[in-house]
Amino acid sequence: MTNTIQKTLRDSAAMRWTALLLLALAMFCSYIFMDILSPIKDLMQEYRGWDSTAFGTMQGAEVFLNVFVFFLIFAGIILDKMGVRFTAVLSGAVMLVGAIIKWYAVSESFMGSGLETWFTNNLNYIPGFDELGVSPFYEGMPASAKLAACGFMIFGCGCEMAGITVSRGIVKWFKGREMALAMGSEMALARLGVATCMIFSPFFAKLGGQVNVSRSVAFGVVLMCIALIMFIVYFFMDKKLDKQTGEAEEKDDPFKISDIGKILSDSGFWLVALLCVLYYSAIFPFQKYAVNMLQCNLTLVEPAKDSFWASQSVTIVQYIIMLVVAIAGFASNFQKKANLKYGLLGISIIALITYCYMGYMRQSAESVFAVFPLLAVLITPILGSYVDHKGKAASMLVLGSLLLIACHLTFAFILPAFKGNAVGGIIIAYITILVLGSSFSLVPASLWPSVPKLVDSKVIGSAYALIFWIQNIGLWLFPLLIGKVLDKTNPGVNDPTQYDYTWPLIMLACLGVAALILGLALKVVDKKKHIGLEEPNIKE
């Protein structure tokens, strides 16, 4: 019997981590598409007429169906009833459909078409949603932004479905093992998608010296095809695992609506869910405006057009260096020999410094912000391993909140004070972005692995879905709010590189304060109810 158990895929470290790699690569591709227009916000305003309100409304539309049509709740039910592999492939297909629609919306083919005329004349008033002030469209919104919002809604359904599916898949393959390390590692790799997006979206938009914003989105569509392939390969791995273990995917114990009530009645669940929405609302909406914020606060002088720093080849070189930072830093966490461990760490640090120097020489806001996930890639496995063996998940959330507050206040008040100081401003920006990225890495390493401690294993999919649904409310609201606040606090400003971001950043810092209060409350509840959030996942 023991020999049979040892032969299952789940008991093979190589197979376990291969399954994780497939899921992480799919999410890597989805993270790139999620922010594909973020680094070219200024180009969208110049070439498609999207002001900050239109841009923010389109970005917030990503989660509209998840929040207001409760698609995420249905996704959780689908996950619990149909299992990980079916839902993974479904989510990949839905993301691809949404990505194609968004690509067409910003393409030249849409401009001047009959469909553009229809979108211009329609969807200016949505009964019920307009009265509530939550409509994903408004009168005067560019037709391309409306259709892009429709595509982004569909993509968002698939993306968030993929998110809860990946979380459930990791629980399935890693429960009782290095779960926090696995979740942290998955998010570390997925977040490299943010850096990839920041590097390559402007690269494709400006390829050949002629601006075409649809090329960036087309790059994302190709990646969504790859994501679907990753999920299909995972499908067959997961099916083989079930054959070996004799497990059925939730079908012997079907989902009941009453299970949702049990989840919602738990105060610990609500604290984790609210912490999640505050964390993510302070980060993901910020990512969509971060490049433009840096353009507004840094003194950037475009390099000479005939220099290496203005060439397209420098983009490839810088991305390769970024991969060296990520791979060497990530791998250093898994080395037992000290000389190999610190050797890889040294390579990672040297490559990071080289990357930052290249970003400075390029005078490019998007390549500056691309360092956002790099420190997270290095430390997330460390944090995950620490939670697995030592615990302290709730304490890490408190620390993350403090770092979140400090970073947004630095962007709001300290960075603008360095405008005119080319070197000082970029140094402040790099340090703050790296710290912000590392604070965000505390969430997957400590918060997500805590959910299985709060709910029954049969309804983990629904629990993750409810958390993601609550989180999506913030992801819908705050891109929209940032855009509106920008337009209101910058009247008459037509140059997208001259906005004052002070008030949007203060708003995001306030989310960090609220997260800090909830983090402290979670520690109190954990101590009273003995939930075990401060205890290690792996019992020695």
Side-chain angles (χ1 to χ4, degrees):
M1 182 70 177
T2 305
N3 292 334
T4 304
I5 294 172
Q6 289 175 341
K7 289 178 182 177
T8 63
L9 292 178
R10 186 162 49 200
D11 289 294
S12 164
M15 290 296 99
R16 209 163 54 235
W17 286 90
T18 298
L20 178 73
L21 183 62
L22 291 170
L23 295 173
L25 284 173
M27 294 309 294
F28 169 82
C29 294
S30 72
Y31 267 53
I32 293 175
F33 193 86
M34 190 186 300
D35 282 315
I36 201 70
L37 294 181
S38 301
I40 55 172
K41 177 182 181 291
D42 56 329
L43 298 181
M44 296 308 298
Q45 182 164 340
E46 183 178 350
Y47 289 89
R48 292 294 181 267
W50 296 12
D51 61 12
S52 292
T53 299
F55 183 82
T57 303
M58 189 284 302
Q59 295 282 32
E62 178 194 357
V63 297
F64 180 82
L65 294 177
N66 290 326
V67 173
F68 297 106
V69 187
F70 304 104
F71 180 81
L72 253 177
I73 306 300
F74 297 124
I77 294 172
I78 291 169
L79 176 57
D80 280 329
K81 289 185 73 69
M82 302 302 294
V84 172
R85 55 179 175 268
F86 172 86
T87 314
V89 175
L90 177 63
S91 65
V94 172
M95 284 194 289
L96 179 58
V97 170
I100 292 171
I101 294 172
K102 186 173 179 179
W103 165 75
Y104 178 67
V106 300
S107 70
E108 295 294 334
S109 301
F110 179 72
M111 309 303 291
S113 67
L115 195 58
E116 182 187 29
T117 303
W118 189 90
F119 271 92
T120 300
N121 297 329
N122 292 278
L123 300 180
N124 294 314
Y125 172 73
I126 310 296
F129 290 110
D130 270 276
E131 282 76 10
L132 292 171
V134 298
S135 176
F137 315 108
Y138 60 87
E139 190 168 1
M141 186 177 181
S144 58
K146 287 181 184 176
L147 181 56
C150 292
F152 212 23
M153 285 179 204
I154 296 170
F155 168 83
C157 289
C159 187
E160 296 303 317
M161 186 193 294
I164 60 172
T165 303
V166 167
S167 297
R168 177 63 179 269
I170 293 173
V171 170
K172 179 176 182 177
W173 283 76
F174 285 87
K175 190 169 186 179
R177 297 175 175 87
E178 53 286 86
M179 194 197 307
L181 176 60
M183 286 193 172
S185 299
E186 180 269 323
M187 285 308 298
L189 178 57
R191 284 192 185 129
L192 272 180
V194 179
T196 304
C197 171
M198 297 300 159
I199 292 286
F200 282 106
S201 180
F203 172 80
F204 283 109
K206 300 172 183 177
L207 193 64
Q210 185 176 0
V211 174
N212 185 339
V213 294
S214 69
R215 282 196 298 255
S216 297
V217 188
F219 165 64
V221 171
V222 172
L223 291 172
M224 295 323 303
C225 293
I226 295 172
L228 180 56
I229 292 169
M230 294 296 105
F231 280 138
I232 291 171
V233 175
Y234 173 82
F235 178 97
F236 290 104
M237 276 194 71
D238 193 79
K239 190 172 183 180
K240 186 173 181 181
L241 173 65
D242 281 355
K243 280 185 179 179
Q244 291 178 333
T245 60
E247 294 176 358
E249 293 202 315
E250 289 75 53
K251 297 189 181 164
D252 293 332
D253 194 6
F255 172 86
K256 301 183 187 70
I257 294 296
S258 59
D259 291 329
I260 292 181
K262 293 176 185 175
I263 297 169
L264 295 179
S265 63
D266 189 284
S267 59
F269 166 83
W270 273 108
L271 286 171
V272 168
L274 292 174
L275 263 169
C276 180
V277 70
L278 291 169
Y279 258 104
Y280 278 70
S281 296
I283 299 288
F284 281 130
F286 171 71
Q287 282 178 195
K288 300 180 187 301
Y289 291 88
V291 171
N292 187 232
M293 183 275 293
L294 292 174
Q295 290 170 338
C296 296
N297 286 306
L298 294 176
T299 302
L300 301 171
V301 180
E302 196 172 325
K305 294 190 181 297
D306 58 349
S307 71
F308 169 71
W309 302 110
S311 69
Q312 292 178 342
S313 58
V314 71
T315 302
I316 308 299
V317 173
Q318 195 176 18
Y319 188 66
I320 291 170
I321 293 172
M322 175 191 294
L323 291 179
V324 172
V325 176
I327 293 169
F330 187 80
S332 69
N333 291 290
F334 301 92
Q335 306 305 315
K336 294 182 179 179
K337 294 182 179 179
N339 57 347
L340 193 56
K341 179 183 179 70
Y342 293 112
L344 286 169
L345 190 59
I347 291 171
S348 180
I349 292 170
I350 291 168
L352 177 60
I353 294 169
T354 305
Y355 175 90
C356 292
Y357 172 75
M358 293 184 74
Y360 168 72
M361 293 302 294
R362 289 185 68 189
Q363 293 288 287
S364 162
E366 53 266 23
S367 67
V368 171
F369 186 70
V371 302
F372 174 69
L374 294 185
L375 190 58
V377 172
L378 174 62
I379 71 170
T380 300
I382 299 173
L383 296 173
S385 182
Y386 186 86
V387 172
D388 280 330
H389 293 93
K390 302 293 183 182
K392 304 297 181 185
S395 299
M396 284 192 177
L397 293 172
V398 171
L399 175 60
S401 301
L402 290 169
L403 294 176
L404 199 64
I405 297 165
C407 290
H408 283 311
L409 291 179
T410 299
F411 284 134
F413 298 108
I414 297 177
L415 185 60
F418 279 82
K419 190 161 186 178
N421 185 334
V423 177
I426 282 192
I427 290 173
I428 293 293
Y430 271 135
I431 293 172
T432 311
I433 292 165
L434 285 167
V435 172
L436 184 65
S438 65
S439 76
F440 195 31
S441 67
L442 292 164
V443 178
S446 54
L447 190 148
W448 294 122
S450 300
V451 177
K453 296 179 180 179
L454 296 167
V455 300
D456 185 83
S457 61
K458 181 175 71 71
V459 292
I460 287 175
S462 298
Y464 279 125
L466 285 168
I467 292 176
F468 273 56
W469 178 71
I470 295 166
Q471 165 197 316
N472 272 224
I473 296 173
L475 300 187
W476 159 76
L477 178 62
F478 283 94
L480 179 64
L481 280 180
I482 294 172
K484 287 183 177 293
V485 170
L486 272 179
D487 282 340
K488 291 290 185 183
T489 56
N490 293 274
V493 178
N494 295 316
D495 184 347
T497 63
Q498 297 300 318
Y499 286 119
D500 180 353
Y501 269 83
T502 304
W503 284 107
L505 290 166
I506 290 173
M507 177 175 66
L508 296 177
C510 289
L511 294 178
V513 173
L516 175 62
I517 294 169
L518 285 179
L520 294 171
L522 184 63
K523 282 175 67 73
V524 172
V525 170
D526 178 58
K527 193 171 183 179
K528 278 186 179 179
K529 295 191 172 183
H530 306 289
I531 298 171
L533 298 182
E534 295 284 83
E535 295 176 6
N537 294 323
I538 299 174
K539 304 298 182 182
E540 301 294 344

